[in-house]
Amino acid sequence: MAQSLNRRGLLFGGAVAGAGALAAACTGNRPKENTAAQQPLSAGDNDKAGTPVTIGFSAPAADHGWISAIAKNAEAQAKRYSDVTFRGVQPTNDINQQISAVESLVAQKVSALVLLPNDGEQLNQVARKAMEAGIPVVNLDRVFPDKLSYRTWIGGDNYGMGVAAGHYIGKKLKAKGVGNPVIVEIQGIATLPLTQDRSKGFADALKTYGFAVTAKQDAKFTVETGNQVAGNLLQAHKRIDALWNHDDDQGIGVVAAIKQAGRKEFFMVGGAGSANAMREIKSGGVLEATVTYSPTMASSAIRLARLIAQSKGLTDLVERQVPQSITLASETVTRDNVDQYLPLGFES
């Protein structure tokens, strides 16, 4: 991850330097003072200790590997900074309890609040109260409908997950010369907007290759249902060319069903980027890739909350303030790069 960030920094720095050189070439006859304003302004070293801040944190109960990793990443990131006091409240799946927990953080007058709501719609009002009390809210993943309820949103790209999975599958099937392929999709919870976004991205990407999903069914994000749904789909389709499973936690059950059935004629792509899935990819089995929706976003949310509370911006941006919205890219993990991503994987 550090290598990737450094590479982006170098690319950005190169782009700024190139732009500066071009500006100098175009304005060489102008007075020197006119070119000075074109130089990028440094925001300083953001990792150096600054004004002490207290960051409140609230998220759903850790009944899922991804959610568990969210809380762990947030607390671990906060501990990296001597100027941050981390104040997490009891995780819960009860809406009213989460509202009460957030209200307690507001009453304690924390410097900033990182909030992953059970439901953005139902937690919208309490987040708005925090903002009105002068406490900036970093909205993590599940977005509030009212932009006045958060200072910054950061989360994954559900549509992009589907696009990444669709391109991996489409390119491979095209390269193999497969015509009219049987493509199976196992969703999380079909009624959720995030699931619908993932499915749309998948369908849109496949369409660029002239392909379409043959069958899809949701598996409720659980290992047990993943196993059951995969078993049903395997029975219904005697030949499958490719399978995309939206969620690596439920993917444990999906992979188990495939192995139990002894099916090896197709390849599978996972979703989210669990350590379990990455180890499976390394083993060279049916699971060939996973597209990320990484819980490391919680670490980034803590960093952003700290910067906002300290009135700082991002050093790689010219602007002095943290952006209002940050959508993380969905990256494709394969056997070729799995060792690079494995340290970032979460345990299912």
Side-chain angles (χ1 to χ4, degrees), residues 3-304:
Q3 292 176 345
S4 176
L5 287 172
N6 289 338
R7 184 163 59 249
R8 285 199 294 273
L10 288 170
L11 289 172
F12 181 81
V16 171
L22 180 60
C26 293
T27 62
N29 294 327
R30 295 181 181 179
K32 288 183 179 180
E33 57 267 23
N34 287 351
T35 62
Q38 295 163 0
Q39 301 304 314
L41 298 173
S42 174
D45 187 349
N46 282 337
D47 280 340
K48 289 181 179 178
T51 305
V53 296
T54 299
I55 299 177
F57 177 79
S58 176
D63 56 0
H64 184 275
W66 188 88
I67 290 289
S68 176
I70 282 284
K72 291 175 182 176
N73 283 336
E75 186 169 8
Q77 187 66 38
K79 287 180 178 178
R80 289 187 55 193
Y81 297 106
S82 61
D83 54 12
V84 170
T85 298
F86 182 78
R87 196 159 291 167
V89 293
Q90 183 67 34
T92 178
N93 289 330
D94 183 283
I95 297 294
N96 291 326
Q97 287 182 12
Q98 189 174 24
I99 290 172
S100 296
V102 173
E103 287 176 337
S104 73
L105 291 170
V106 173
Q108 294 172 53
K109 298 181 180 180
V110 295
S111 309
L113 176 63
V114 174
L115 179 55
L116 196 166
N118 274 284
D119 183 285
E121 184 79 39
Q122 296 186 65
L123 269 291
N124 186 69
Q125 276 303 110
V126 72
R128 179 75 175 271
K129 287 180 181 178
M131 289 288 288
E132 290 174 347
I135 300 171
V137 174
V138 175
N139 181 195
L140 179 58
D141 190 40
R142 299 173 188 172
V143 68
F144 298 119
D146 182 359
K147 288 188 177 181
L148 293 176
S149 296
Y150 59 93
R151 163 60 180 81
T152 291
W153 174 86
I154 180 170
D157 186 355
N158 286 295
Y159 180 85
M161 280 184 73
V163 170
H167 279 314
Y168 182 89
I169 288 173
K171 287 177 183 176
K172 178 149 188 175
L173 292 177
K174 275 291 186 184
K176 292 172 66 176
V178 179
N180 194 29
V182 177
I183 301 173
V184 172
E185 178 182 357
I186 300 180
Q187 303 169 307
I189 298 175
T191 56
L192 292 179
L194 69 89
T195 298
Q196 294 161 10
D197 287 344
R198 292 178 186 185
S199 288
K200 186 175 189 324
F202 189 52
D204 287 350
L206 288 177
K207 194 181 298 182
T208 66
Y209 301 91
F211 300 150
V213 174
T214 306
K216 63 183 173 185
Q217 189 173 341
D218 68 336
K220 315 299 182 188
F221 291 125
T222 71
V223 173
E224 295 77 15
T225 311
N227 185 266
Q228 179 183 355
V229 167
N232 292 340
L233 288 168
L234 290 169
Q235 286 187 351
H237 301 277
K238 299 306 177 186
R239 183 193 120 235
I240 294 175
D241 294 293
L243 183 153
W244 181 40
N245 167 60
H246 285 208
D247 179 73
D248 285 335
D249 280 317
Q250 72 185 20
I252 294 175
V254 175
V255 171
I258 293 169
K259 290 180 177 179
Q260 185 175 3
R263 298 282 289 271
K264 298 180 180 179
E265 83 279 6
F266 63 91
F267 64 95
M268 172 181 165
V269 176
S274 76
N276 184 77
M278 293 184 198
R279 288 190 289 266
E280 193 68 36
I281 290 168
K282 286 192 71 168
S283 74
V286 67
L287 182 60
E288 287 191 1
T290 186
V291 291
T292 63
Y293 195 88
S294 178
T296 56
M297 66 178 70
S299 301
S300 296
I302 293 293
R303 294 175 71 108
L304 292 173

Side-chain angles (χ1 to χ4, degrees), residues 326-346:
I326 299 176
T327 302
L328 304 176
S330 183
E331 304 174 60
T332 304
V333 181
T334 67
R335 203 172 183 188
D336 291 336
N337 62 8
V338 66
D339 287 331
Q340 177 185 347
Y341 287 92
L342 191 52
L344 302 177
F346 61 94

